[in-house]
Amino acid sequence: MMRQYRELKARHPDAILFYRMGDFYEMFLADAELAAPLLDIALTTRDRGKPDAVPMCGVPAHSADGYVKRLAELGHKVAICEQVEDPRQVGGRRLVRREVIEVVTPGLVGDPEGIAAHAEICLAAVDAGAAAGAGGLAVLEASIGDFRATRVAAPEGGDPLSGALIEELRRVAPREVLVVEERADALRARLAELLPGAVVTPVAAAEFATDDPPLRPDGFEPASEDPEQRAAAAVLRYAARHQPAGAAQVRRLRPYRLSDAMGLDAATRRHLELFENSEDGGRRGTLIERLDGASTPLGSRRLARWLAYPLLSPEAIAARQDAVSWLAERDRARGRLRDALRGVRDLERIFAKAARPGSEPRDLASLRGSLEALPALEAAFDEDPGALLPESAGAPPASLPRPRPVAEAATLLADALVDDPPAVPRGSRGAGETGYVREGFRPELDELRSAARKGREFIAGLEARERERTGISTLKVRFHPVHGYSLEVSKARLEQVPGEYERKQTLANSERFTTPELREAEQKVLGARDRAAQLEREIFENTRRETLEHAAAIRAAAEAVAELDALAALAEVARRDGWVRPRVDDALVLELSGARHPVVEPLLAARGEEFVPNDARLDPDGAQLVVLTGPNMSGKSTYLRQVALCVLLAQMGSFVPAEAAHVGVVDRVFTRVGASDRLARGESTFMVEMRETADILQRASRRSLVILDEIGRGTSTFDGLSIAWAVAEYLHDTPGLGARTLFATHYHELTDLARTKEGVRNAHFEAREHGEDVVFLRRLAPGGASRSYGIQVARLAGLPRSVIERAREILANLEGGELDEAGRPRLAHHEGAPAPSAEGGAQLGLFGAGPDPEEREVLEAIRALDPDATTPMEALLALRTWQGRLGGSGDPS
């Protein structure tokens, strides 16, 4: 057995080998030592203490999938080694033959059972390509058979494996990335920080060759040198080598272009909490959770794909909106449709599971159930004859898909399988399991079952006859899966056993016997049962293969169901929450009336609070940049996000939470909000902020939407204000840029930009003071805010009263001027503090022992310009610098 194990392991040296032994998968040697702590299972040793001791561990076969997936999630490959013949047929004459039937990798999960309904587990390949200035990306989601590829332009004069290609990798978020060996180390280092969940797998350069691939799905171009086709070739070879049965179900390579979708970088997805919240990385409180009322996992995944890739074509957006609108206007039809959709369940993954060579009768029964639910979807569109009032007239739009039933496959499965097939252990290969093929489907099988049934009836009657004949009232007929049928007699009655009884097995309190009559009946029963089990497995495999002939129709139905369910979910939220259909066109105007935050609004409603809606208008030819001021907690950040989220919703084809909306197509949404650091990369909060801001300034266009929140707050006040001012000027003044921008800040000085910049507007969130408290009205108004009310917010947060009072005192000092009459910083002044002594209390400052009133005015002016000036010469230099900036002349000394 260990020789067989080592031979199989040698073929898969980079994988943990799950070696099937009866009802367990065993791991040996280094594999066992690696897997045991990862799986939290016991590590044992055969022949402990001997030189050839063998470390080993194992898991039950019936629960192996969970262990396999855990190892794959941790970045390991797992080779599944099965017994490929019935041990009873071997009869102990030799070792049972075993083979590795598949290799599960981080990006190829094998059995889709247990994968989160909304999750996609992807394998990707990237290629620098033979085409100059372009890289290729191919992505396979094997559990749903989705295979797509795109070409990505490289930065001018740069590496194709950077820029937009890395950004798209982060959007796809694959579990495993194939890359040519020579580039593996560089990409692994890059992805370790950008995509920490991905495993980089190096493969030979020949794997990317497009000639003579193992599979040729529609859309794949053999002998092409296009980088996306080369990447696709690497995926096909890798999948065919590790999971040939699953790879054979990949029927189409779908090209896609990044230029067809809105750009959303990782920072924007994170800041807007589209898929993961900032608290724990979960779905709670995210936009996708808000939208995902889908009836099936297919619909959930389709909604996530639409949100990740908002459309840029107004025509495509309008077509999706037409379908949402039709469903939103018809409550009864939508309700019938959503009820019918629930019966379809996860048709994509159910079919993928049924297509696997290790599939079992219950897998095909699940597929049958999904296929039998498809006709009800068509009926859901029909008018309800019992309705009191007809629904809105009008046929469904062309953009509303109508899944076509796959009647032939459904009928085949209904005829072949019983309604509720029994469970069959994984990898049993028909070893005695029967009862899942419907009676009447195959006459030969019915005859075998009848023979086995009659034999069992004879044996059951034998017990009564033998009791009467022998006088042993406690005699019983027993069955053991190894020893077969026997007559059991307690040891107290052994003297009554007839002489023709043949001893078969000795137990603690009884003996088991057989007779020629029982042996003959046993052979008939067990022979008929074994032949029936073998025939049932043959029938099952034939039925499975015939079902796979309908793969194209089943996948088309699954595609239509996913689309239909996603549209119905968008219609449901629009109808329930009063969202409106936005106007989306090629204009550059962004106008929202009475807009609300799609996630915050229901959270407030759950607490009995009402969300205050606000308007927004941005236009490169008008209000191109809005400087947004207002107190802390007044609603600025919520407003910024709700504007961006309304744009995303509009361009994914959804309705939006507003009274009215006009969205000129946005090519990219950029956000710089929130505060975080990257300690692992040695980057402070301010450095992260500056990197993200630099990326925005380099990549934004006239069609972009830029959301900036508190730029410059991570450094000194003057540095931060200077940077924020310069960023705003750049966005406004750069020729050809003019991106629609919302700029929230506590630097009230930025409101002065509106005095000299034609496209800058000021707006603020209103607040009212009530004693020591501040009331946030959450209402947006024109103009700049006068105060930030930071101390009031600090009091609400629970800072000690002494700290609050001292902060008020320091604020008054700052607002009263920086220096007092004695030349001391007013910031340090404390009521009740003793006056400085003549020996040395007063600060000499720039002008010696103490400035006169005229000198004090100059000193305060200089410190306002350059707080670091400590000598008259430094003050003079500061004045000359600012005089030049202001266009002045003359001697400032």
Side-chain angles (χ1 to χ4, degrees):
M1 184 273 288
M2 286 306 296
R3 282 197 299 271
Q4 185 189 64
Y5 171 84
R6 288 188 172 94
E7 289 172 1
L8 292 165
K9 175 64 181 175
R11 300 176 201 165
H12 303 276
D14 59 343
I16 297 172
L17 185 64
F18 269 41
Y19 182 86
R20 183 67 178 265
M21 294 184 68
D23 294 332
F24 278 78
Y25 287 102
E26 300 290 354
M27 288 155 276
F28 300 103
L29 304 172
D31 282 356
E33 293 174 328
L34 172 63
L38 296 177
L39 300 178
D40 194 23
I41 57 177
L43 177 68
T44 61
T45 302
R46 176 173 291 181
D47 300 329
R48 186 186 302 273
K50 296 183 178 180
D52 56 349
V54 178
M56 59 185 293
C57 63
V59 298
H62 66 83
S63 59
D65 285 337
Y67 293 104
V68 171
K69 285 183 173 59
R70 192 185 310 176
L71 290 172
E73 288 171 1
L74 293 172
H76 299 282
K77 295 179 181 178
V78 182
I80 308 298
C81 174
E82 294 285 4
Q83 298 172 171
V84 294
E85 57 185 349
D86 189 343
R88 293 179 304 175
Q89 295 176 349
V90 175
R93 297 184 303 273
R94 57 177 172 80
L95 195 64
V96 174
R97 189 163 55 88
R98 294 175 173 86
E99 291 180 4
V100 172
I101 62 169
E102 69 175 350
V103 179
V104 175
T105 78
L108 294 172
V109 295
D111 190 340
E113 187 72 28
I115 301 176
H118 59 270
E120 292 189 0
I121 310 298
C122 295
L123 168 71
V126 294
D127 181 63
L137 171 67
V139 181
L140 172 64
E141 215 296 12
S143 72
I144 60 176
D146 181 59
F147 189 28
R148 63 190 192 273
T150 189
R151 180 186 302 196
V152 182
E156 186 173 349
D159 183 355
L161 294 180
S162 62
L165 184 53
I166 292 295
E167 181 179 304
E168 180 60 9
L169 263 180
R170 298 182 73 183
R171 175 153 55 176
V172 171
R175 288 279 187 87
E176 185 175 12
V177 183
L178 308 179
V179 64
V180 69
E181 289 170 327
E182 290 76 8
R183 307 298 299 271
D185 290 339
L187 187 61
R188 185 180 290 113
R190 196 173 305 167
L191 289 186
E193 58 186 70
L194 300 178
L195 202 62
V199 174
V200 175
T201 300
V203 296
E207 299 286 286
F208 287 83
T210 55
D211 56 322
D212 195 26
L215 303 166
R216 297 192 180 189
D218 294 342
F220 181 75
E221 301 173 6
S224 171
E225 287 301 315
D226 293 341
E228 68 273 23
Q229 295 288 334
R230 288 171 50 80
V235 169
L236 289 173
R237 284 191 172 88
Y238 190 78
R241 183 165 59 252
H242 290 89
Q243 293 183 15
Q249 296 304 313
V250 178
R251 304 297 177 88
R252 182 168 68 103
L253 174 62
R254 178 173 55 84
Y256 73 104
R257 297 184 303 175
L258 298 184
S259 58
D260 291 335
M262 177 192 292
L264 293 171
D265 59 25
T268 297
R269 295 193 299 274
R270 182 176 68 251
H271 295 156
L272 297 181
E273 296 183 297
L274 301 184
F275 303 101
E276 298 178 353
N277 64 46
S278 56
E279 183 176 351
D280 59 9
R283 277 169 58 99
R284 182 178 175 82
T286 61
L287 182 59
I288 189 61
E289 185 202 39
R290 180 77 172 92
L291 296 176
D292 190 3
S295 301
T296 71
L298 294 86
S300 295
R301 293 193 294 271
R302 186 54 51 93
L303 280 171
R305 183 74 62 85
W306 286 354
L307 182 56
Y309 293 88
L311 301 170
L312 294 183
S313 165
E315 293 76 18
I317 294 168
R320 200 174 284 173
Q321 289 177 333
D322 289 343
V324 173
S325 179
W326 193 92
L327 290 169
E329 293 168 359
R330 293 161 174 80
D331 292 341
R332 291 193 300 274
R334 188 177 68 256
R336 292 194 300 269
L337 176 63
R338 285 167 61 79
D339 287 342
L341 281 165
R342 293 185 183 95
V344 180
R345 300 180 295 163
D346 196 346
L347 180 54
E348 284 178 329
R349 283 184 173 151
I350 289 173
F351 177 68
K353 188 174 176 67
R356 290 167 52 81
S359 62
E360 300 302 339
R362 286 189 172 183
D363 300 328
L364 285 189
S366 295
L367 177 60
R368 176 186 60 196
S370 294
L371 296 179
E372 289 177 342
L374 291 176
L377 299 181
E378 184 69 26
F381 289 98
D382 298 334
E383 183 65 47
D384 183 358
L388 296 177
L389 296 173
E391 297 204 58
S392 303
S399 56
L400 193 64
R402 308 286 284 269
R404 296 173 62 88
V406 191
E408 190 174 344
T411 301
L412 170 65
L413 294 173
D415 291 344
L417 300 178
V418 298
D419 293 339
D420 186 17
V424 175
R426 172 176 177 155
S428 62
R429 297 286 167 185
E433 286 75 17
T434 63
Y436 48 84
V437 174
R438 192 181 297 278
E439 188 172 351
F441 184 73
R442 183 74 65 84
E444 182 185 355
L445 177 61
D446 293 343
E447 292 174 4
L448 290 171
R449 285 174 171 174
S450 177
R453 184 166 53 250
K454 290 177 181 178
R456 286 193 298 270
E457 291 171 355
F458 173 82
I459 292 174
L462 181 65
E463 179 178 299
R465 292 194 300 273
E466 287 299 304
R467 282 184 179 184
E468 183 178 356
R469 186 173 74 87
T470 63
I472 304 173
S473 59
T474 58
L475 182 148
K476 292 182 173 62
V477 173
R478 298 293 193 186
F479 175 76
H480 188 277
V482 174
H483 300 290
Y485 288 96
S486 61
L487 299 169
E488 184 177 279
V489 179
S490 65
K491 290 190 174 180
R493 309 293 293 273
L494 288 179
E495 70 277 2
Q496 297 177 257
V497 172
E500 68 270 20
Y501 275 27
E502 303 171 13
R503 181 174 278 103
K504 193 172 186 179
Q505 188 180 11
T506 299
L507 304 178
N509 299 312
S510 63
E511 297 277 353
R512 287 180 177 174
F513 302 88
T514 187
T515 67
E517 185 181 26
L518 177 58
R519 194 160 45 243
E520 182 181 356
E522 178 185 43
Q523 290 173 353
K524 290 180 180 179
V525 170
L526 296 183
R529 191 192 67 171
D530 289 346
R531 291 196 300 273
Q534 184 177 355
L535 182 57
E536 280 202 58
R537 191 69 198 187
E538 291 174 5
I539 293 171
F540 172 79
E541 288 296 339
N542 290 335
T543 302
R544 188 179 70 87
R545 283 192 290 269
E546 288 183 48
T547 302
L548 294 184
E549 294 175 2
H550 302 277
I554 293 173
R555 291 201 184 279
E559 176 77 13
V561 167
E563 194 105 349
L564 186 59
D565 193 16
L567 292 168
L570 293 179
E572 184 71 17
V573 70
R575 176 68 167 166
R576 183 187 65 226
D577 297 334
W579 293 9
V580 301
R581 177 173 179 165
R583 174 186 166 195
V584 183
D585 55 27
D586 285 323
L588 291 171
V589 173
L590 171 56
E591 189 167 12
L592 304 173
S593 299
R596 312 181 301 278
H597 194 294
V599 178
V600 175
E601 181 185 24
L603 295 178
L604 291 179
R607 302 201 300 260
E609 301 178 35
E610 187 175 349
F611 189 92
V612 179
N614 281 292
D615 299 343
R617 179 177 176 82
L618 292 170
D619 181 358
D621 297 323
Q624 179 248 317
L625 188 152
V626 173
V627 176
L628 188 62
T629 53
N632 295 289
M633 292 181 61
S634 62
K636 298 190 302 298
S637 295
T638 298
Y639 176 79
L640 295 177
R641 288 179 170 92
Q642 83 185 30
V643 171
L645 293 178
C646 283
V647 169
L648 289 179
L649 288 170
Q651 291 190 215
M652 71 176 285
S654 171
F655 285 21
V656 299
E659 295 172 3
H662 177 196
V663 178
V665 166
V666 171
D667 64 352
R668 297 186 70 94
V669 172
F670 293 98
T671 61
R672 165 80 286 282
V673 298
S676 63
D677 53 30
R678 297 174 184 155
L679 298 180
R681 293 171 57 181
E683 294 183 353
S684 65
T685 298
F686 181 65
M687 175 59 78
V688 172
E689 177 184 311
M690 290 298 98
R691 284 190 184 279
E692 293 178 353
T693 303
D695 186 63
I696 292 171
L697 299 184
Q698 292 167 9
R699 300 168 65 189
S701 74
R702 188 170 176 80
R703 280 210 169 271
S704 300
L705 174 64
V706 177
I707 304 295
L708 300 174
D709 190 13
E710 312 256 6
I711 289 294
R713 64 179 171 179
T715 186
S716 69
T717 300
F718 279 11
D719 283 353
L721 172 59
S722 301
I723 292 170
W725 187 293
V727 167
E729 281 187 344
Y730 185 93
L731 289 168
H732 180 276
D733 296 347
T734 301
L737 181 50
R740 289 163 283 185
T741 304
L742 290 174
F743 199 129
T745 184
H746 283 290
Y747 295 135
H748 294 170
E749 294 85 348
L750 291 183
T751 59
D752 290 340
L753 283 165
R755 299 176 182 271
T756 58
K757 305 296 181 183
E758 182 180 357
V760 176
R761 303 288 188 274
N762 290 322
H764 71 283
F765 275 89
E766 295 182 308
R768 297 289 184 269
E769 288 190 82
H770 183 72
E772 292 188 348
D773 294 328
V774 58
V775 178
F776 303 114
L777 303 182
R778 317 286 187 195
R779 191 169 59 223
L780 189 67
S786 59
R787 298 182 59 188
S788 290
Y789 298 97
I791 294 177
Q792 286 87 341
V793 173
R795 190 180 72 81
L796 291 174
L799 263 68
R801 187 169 185 83
S802 60
V803 173
I804 298 299
E805 293 302 323
R806 178 58 177 152
R808 292 186 192 279
E809 191 176 345
I810 294 172
L811 178 63
N813 293 342
L814 289 170
E815 291 176 342
E818 186 164 346
L819 300 178
D820 61 14
E821 291 78 1
R824 295 182 308 160
R826 291 184 184 274
L827 184 66
H829 185 59
H830 197 304
E831 289 186 7
S837 66
E839 281 79 17
Q843 177 178 330
L844 296 180
L846 298 176
F847 296 96
D852 59 28
E854 183 177 354
E855 290 172 338
R856 188 159 51 249
E857 289 182 18
V858 174
L859 178 59
E860 291 181 0
I862 292 171
R863 283 195 172 274
L865 299 177
D866 187 354
D868 296 326
T870 57
T871 68
M873 181 57 68
E874 289 175 348
L876 182 61
L877 291 174
L879 284 173
R880 287 193 184 279
T881 300
W882 280 90
Q883 179 189 28
R885 292 183 184 178
L886 298 174
S889 59
D891 184 359
S893 58

